[in-house]
Amino acid sequence: MSITVQGVTKYYGEQKALDNVTFKVETGSITGFLGPNGAGKSTMMKIITGFIPASSGEVYINGLEVGTNSLEVKKQIGYLPENNPLYPEMYVREYLGFVASLYKSETNRKSLVDNIIEVTGLTAEQKKTIGSLSKGYRQRVGLAQALIHKPPVLILDEATTGLDPNQIVEIRNLIKEAGREKTVMLSTHIMQEVEAICDRVIIIDKGIIVADEDIANIYSVIKKPRQVVRIGFDKEILPEALSSVANVTLARPLKDNIWLVEAEGTDDIRPVLFSFAVQNNLTVLSLQKQESNLEEVFRHLTNL
Ligand code: ADP
Ligand code: MG
């Protein structure tokens, strides 16, 4: 079961929460969706699960487009929303029976409920009301409702936020267990969470994907020397012109002939950009070195 996100942009009114997001998640892996608060993680997850529409772009679950197949897609997905909304006055067993009835007929409902109560370690709590449970057990109920219909895809939005260290270990173990046979995507703003349970990490910042790597590579990617400069010219130029400059890996127009240029290596890219301007009859009106987006995000995430 794969998740394919293709050029997804989302506006809330004037505000752009996701900017042309593209990635693919393959079967049998746990992918961390990592980013600071407000990066767009929950928005992306709501779009993947079909709860809100994208402004443009598509999401496919195993080839099925989410917007046009939302009922079929919901059967394939288990979703634990951020803040895990539950009915506090319902009993654990009663609630899970209610969730099961949304998916399956009366006949196998009891066995689904029995099974999920055992898998998520809720046997001793099943006759209590949800409101009387500790936060850790409430999170187990949230996971139970996401897993009850045995979906091949699991989307977990900040599943361990607000739990104490013991509860975090328990919930992570449940997620790891689920990840053996499912495609799991979990969002978090904590780097250590990704290291503890994920095979892969997609890093998002201000609605833009800034890294997409196997966990084993992420530190080398972050530590790779790179420079980001903001350069303004007096005239319009084509993006190809800048991206063909030696060592330049990315050239993005910002506004008014100002460009964001990313370059690899440790040799200062600024004199090279000056020569480029001279050769092309351009005047450099502004030039500032910036911190690499990825380094900045990473520092934020690790509180360095
Ligand atoms: P994250 O989950 O990474 O913290 P969100 O997806 O919740 O980020 O939010 C991304 C951005 O979109 C934030 O700036 C947030 O304020 C904004 N946003 C989220 N939901 C809404 C909404 N329903 N209406 C308006 N703005 C929203
Ligand atoms: Mg969120």
Side-chain angles (χ1 to χ4, degrees), residues 12 15 17 36-44 46 82 157:
Y12 290 113
Q15 192 199 346
N37 287 329
K41 304 180 296 294
S42 296
T43 300
M44 190 67 249
K46 286 178 202 164
E82 194 172 26
D157 197 355

Side-chain angles (χ1 to χ4, degrees), residues 42-108:
S42 296
T43 300
M44 190 67 249
M45 291 186 146
K46 286 178 202 164
I47 293 172
I48 291 174
T49 50
F51 280 85
I52 60 170
S55 304
S56 60
E58 293 93 42
V59 176
Y60 299 90
I61 302 295
N62 229 23
L64 276 184
E65 201 268 312
V66 171
T68 45
N69 303 277
S70 87
L71 273 184
E72 188 47 42
V73 162
K74 284 202 172 89
K75 285 185 203 159
Q76 309 288 340
I77 294 183
Y79 174 39
L80 176 60
E82 194 172 26
N83 304 325
N84 185 17
L86 296 167
Y87 299 99
E89 70 285 1
M90 274 181 106
Y91 295 94
V92 171
R93 193 181 176 86
E94 175 196 24
Y95 171 66
L96 293 173
F98 160 70
V99 176
S101 70
L102 302 176
Y103 296 103
K104 299 277 172 173
S105 63
E106 195 71 32
T107 42
N108 53 13

Side-chain angles (χ1 to χ4, degrees), residues 191-208:
M191 184 68 196
Q192 290 83 342
E193 176 117 314
V194 170
E195 291 179 292
I197 43 181
C198 299
D199 313 303
R200 201 176 131 209
V201 60
I202 298 174
I203 304 183
I204 185 167
D205 180 46
K206 302 186 187 84
I208 296 171

Side-chain angles (χ1 to χ4, degrees), residues 2-274:
S2 59
I3 305 169
T4 308
V5 174
Q6 193 73 53
V8 166
T9 294
K10 175 72 184 179
Y11 284 94
Y12 290 113
E14 296 275 287
Q15 192 199 346
K16 199 190 258 189
L18 295 173
D19 186 355
N20 197 14
V21 170
T22 296
F23 61 82
K24 191 161 183 189
V25 175
E26 300 287 357
T27 311
S29 63
I30 302 186
T31 299
F33 196 41
L34 179 67
N37 287 329
K41 304 180 296 294
S42 296
T43 300
M44 190 67 249
M45 291 186 146
K46 286 178 202 164
I47 293 172
I48 291 174
T49 50
F51 280 85
I52 60 170
S55 304
S56 60
E58 293 93 42
V59 176
Y60 299 90
I61 302 295
N62 229 23
L64 276 184
E65 201 268 312
V66 171
T68 45
N69 303 277
S70 87
L71 273 184
E72 188 47 42
V73 162
K74 284 202 172 89
K75 285 185 203 159
Q76 309 288 340
I77 294 183
Y79 174 39
L80 176 60
E82 194 172 26
N83 304 325
N84 185 17
L86 296 167
Y87 299 99
E89 70 285 1
M90 274 181 106
Y91 295 94
V92 171
R93 193 181 176 86
E94 175 196 24
Y95 171 66
L96 293 173
F98 160 70
V99 176
S101 70
L102 302 176
Y103 296 103
K104 299 277 172 173
S105 63
E106 195 71 32
T107 42
N108 53 13
R109 194 162 111 187
K110 186 176 178 305
S111 69
L112 281 181
V113 174
D114 286 341
N115 176 260
I116 204 66
I117 282 177
E118 198 194 317
V119 169
T120 52
L122 283 166
T123 308
E125 327 295 320
Q126 59 179 310
K127 296 197 173 112
K128 297 184 182 168
T129 60
I130 293 171
S132 71
L133 300 180
S134 69
K135 182 121 192 354
Y137 274 100
R138 245 177 284 160
Q139 211 59 0
R140 286 174 192 243
V141 176
L143 270 178
Q145 68 74 29
L147 288 165
I148 196 161
H149 58 298
K150 301 188 177 5
V153 178
L154 198 55
I155 306 283
L156 308 172
D157 197 355
E158 307 262 1
T160 62
T161 299
L163 301 183
D164 71 34
N166 287 331
Q167 295 167 336
I168 288 178
V169 171
E170 289 165 11
I171 295 293
R172 282 182 184 166
N173 285 340
L174 280 174
I175 296 170
K176 272 197 244 179
E177 197 56 44
R180 284 176 201 267
E181 46 189 29
K182 296 182 192 296
T183 306
V184 181
M185 187 166 177
L186 64 94
S187 78
T188 175
H189 59 278
I190 302 159
M191 184 68 196
Q192 290 83 342
E193 176 117 314
V194 170
E195 291 179 292
I197 43 181
C198 299
D199 313 303
R200 201 176 131 209
V201 60
I202 298 174
I203 304 183
I204 185 167
D205 180 46
K206 302 186 187 84
I208 296 171
I209 303 294
V210 292
D212 181 348
E213 287 294 331
D214 284 344
I215 250 340
N217 294 339
I218 192 66
Y219 285 100
S220 62
V221 169
I222 288 163
K223 299 230 164 72
K224 197 156 85 185
R226 76 176 82 208
Q227 314 160 52
V228 183
V229 297
R230 197 186 270 255
I231 185 164
F233 300 109
D234 62 334
K235 291 196 275 292
E236 262 183 49
I237 56 162
L238 294 172
E240 298 83 70
L242 265 177
S243 45
S244 64
V245 173
N247 289 347
V248 168
T249 49
L250 180 96
R252 193 149 57 87
L254 296 173
K255 54 168 188 187
D256 304 332
N257 300 324
I258 297 174
W259 292 76
L260 193 75
V261 178
E262 230 184 86
E264 58 190 8
T266 47
D267 289 347
D268 195 340
I269 194 70
R270 288 173 294 181
V272 181
L273 291 173
F274 264 114

